[in-house]
Amino acid sequence: MDMIGCACKLKDLQNKYEEITGSNYSIRETLRTLNKHKVIKMLRSKTNGRGLYWVKTEWIEDNGITLKAKHKFYGFDMVYKEDSIEFA
């Protein structure tokens, strides 16, 4: 995740993992385990409830309600408003 540096989808993480290791091992369960241990969190819309992006916990500020600006992907603020997202 540090190599990508911003909120990213599972597919993006999987592609980067394959690029680095050459292995096509599915990292889905690894991400779930990291989420369970609060190393990463899922960014999701409060209205939809479905998470789309993964972020590192250290990228979140203001008591867990705001993603740091340097870790937002291009167009993030156009798609999401800070009061309409949550980290789970």
Side-chain angles (χ1 to χ4, degrees), residues 10-76:
L10 172 63
K11 181 180 178 181
D12 298 331
L13 289 169
Q14 185 69 49
N15 289 340
K16 190 62 151 176
Y17 178 79
E18 288 177 14
E19 177 185 319
I20 293 169
T21 65
S23 170
N24 61 357
Y25 171 78
S26 176
I27 62 169
R28 179 182 306 252
E29 290 304 316
T30 303
L31 292 177
R32 287 183 179 174
T33 301
L34 289 171
N35 180 254
K36 179 180 172 184
H37 293 287
K38 299 182 184 345
V39 175
I40 62 173
K41 293 198 177 240
M42 183 170 280
L43 182 150
R44 64 184 184 186
S45 172
K46 288 181 181 177
T47 57
N48 186 355
R50 181 173 181 218
L52 294 176
Y53 295 94
W54 291 100
V55 298
K56 289 184 73 174
T57 305
E58 62 191 44
W59 297 351
I60 303 169
E61 58 187 358
D62 297 331
N63 294 324
I65 58 171
T66 307
L67 183 63
K68 292 180 181 177
K70 69 180 183 177
H71 298 293
K72 294 179 180 177
F73 54 84
Y74 182 74
F76 180 89

